[in-house]
Amino acid sequence: MEPIVNVQNLHKRFGNLEVLKGINLRVAPREVVCLIGRSGSGKSTLLRCINFLEEPNSGVITVAGISVPAGERTSAHRQQIIELRERTGMVFQSFNLFPHKTVLENLIEAPMIVKRMSREQVVLIAEQLLEKVGLSEKRDVYPSRLSGGQQQRVAIARALTMQPEVMLFDEPTSALDPELIGEVLEVMRNLARDGMTMLVVTHEMSFAREVADRVIFVDGGVFVEEGPPAQCLTNPQDERTRRFLDRIL
């Protein structure tokens, strides 16, 4: 089966600091991959490079058939990035909702502008997604009136309105109070059950153990160990993975 995400020999530097050192990653359709590791290991940078929020220094990234090589500065290259992003949804640590727009307005803006869909079309999709994340009754509420967990569920619904083929989650629960984490993880579990391809940077090991098809431990900008959760989280083979898990489990 052809991968839906294919990262080839990805390098990323910030000044003299090389953050990603030749990453290769293939993700199959419907696969859930959890990236774990210490802060600063390169996990979030990898996600941001996949949708070109950070421009890689070298390598090729392919998402849903759109291949984009790093380092070009042409109008064709910019168009490739736009097409890749249309196939990729991203959810951040902070919710990044527009505070001056209602929940519904937050959801419908991007599809109307980027995909030029009619308001009627997008409102129908948005209402279905708000029901999916359990927030139908909040459609006309402003973000300031929502809890952190509700805001993050809106952010997930907003990403889904673009009808992406791949979802990227960058520590989506790290800004939440402990009692609100579960409601966001439940939405993500449901997405996984529905067959959404997902790349998730997370410190929630119980979620990784339960939902991931594959866990990858990242350290120093390289993949140190990867495999099924039962292997990586219960019986890691690399000493660096063992030390990391000993500290957080």
Side-chain angles (χ1 to χ4, degrees):
M1 182 184 294
E2 280 293 307
I4 192 168
V5 176
N6 190 5
V7 177
Q8 298 169 275
N9 196 29
L10 180 68
H11 289 261
K12 175 61 182 176
R13 293 185 301 276
F14 294 101
N16 293 324
L17 178 64
E18 189 171 24
V19 178
L20 298 175
K21 304 172 182 177
I23 294 291
N24 291 288
L25 172 64
R26 293 164 64 92
V27 180
R30 304 174 68 90
E31 187 177 16
V32 178
V33 177
C34 284
L35 302 167
I36 65 171
R38 295 177 299 165
S39 297
S41 60
K43 311 179 302 297
S44 295
T45 300
L46 173 56
L47 289 198
R48 294 175 65 86
C49 283
I50 287 174
N51 67 357
F52 282 82
L53 289 176
E54 296 286 356
E55 179 78 37
N57 293 101
S58 61
V60 179
I61 295 168
T62 304
V63 176
I66 304 297
S67 289
V68 185
E72 296 185 3
R73 294 289 187 276
T74 64
S75 58
H77 179 68
R78 288 193 293 273
Q79 182 59 38
Q80 287 175 317
I81 292 174
I82 290 169
E83 292 177 11
L84 182 147
R85 287 177 178 164
E86 287 180 1
R87 291 157 174 78
T88 312
M90 187 155 184
V91 177
F92 301 88
Q93 299 177 38
S94 53
F95 322 123
N96 291 345
L97 301 177
F98 298 119
H100 61 290
K101 293 182 180 293
T102 66
V103 165
L104 183 68
E105 289 167 343
N106 266 277
L107 266 63
I108 66 175
E109 178 152 320
M112 289 173 59
I113 293 173
V114 178
K115 290 191 167 184
R116 293 181 165 79
M117 297 172 68
S118 72
R119 181 183 174 89
E120 292 74 19
Q121 280 180 294
V122 185
V123 167
L124 185 61
I125 292 169
E127 288 175 339
Q128 292 169 345
L129 288 169
L130 287 174
E131 183 175 355
K132 188 182 187 77
V133 301
L135 291 172
S136 293
E137 76 284 1
K138 302 294 186 182
R139 57 163 277 168
D140 297 317
V141 172
Y142 287 91
S144 62
R145 308 294 296 176
L146 302 175
S147 70
Q150 289 171 333
Q151 289 188 60
Q152 192 62 297
R153 283 188 279 157
V154 171
I156 293 171
R158 182 177 62 177
L160 292 171
T161 59
M162 290 294 288
Q163 300 173 307
E165 297 182 51
V166 176
M167 284 288 288
L168 309 176
F169 292 89
D170 185 9
E171 298 193 42
T173 60
S174 65
L176 299 178
D177 294 332
E179 68 270 19
L180 302 177
I181 289 172
E183 64 190 58
V184 173
L185 294 180
E186 185 57 29
V187 170
M188 295 170 65
R189 287 188 190 95
N190 289 336
L191 280 179
R193 292 188 200 107
D194 290 344
M196 175 61 73
T197 306
M198 296 163 58
L199 263 170
V200 185
V201 171
T202 186
H203 292 291
E204 299 293 335
M205 295 301 120
S206 59
F207 174 83
R209 186 178 290 109
E210 176 189 348
V211 179
D213 298 296
R214 185 163 34 127
V215 172
I216 301 176
F217 175 62
V218 187
D219 190 52
V222 299
F223 290 171
V224 171
E225 185 164 357
E226 62 182 288
Q231 174 200 310
C232 272
L233 301 180
T234 307
N235 187 29
Q237 303 302 299
D238 191 279
E239 178 61 28
R240 287 168 290 182
T241 314
R242 285 197 290 271
R243 287 201 304 268
F244 170 76
L245 291 172
D246 285 345
R247 284 198 300 270
I248 66 169
L249 292 179

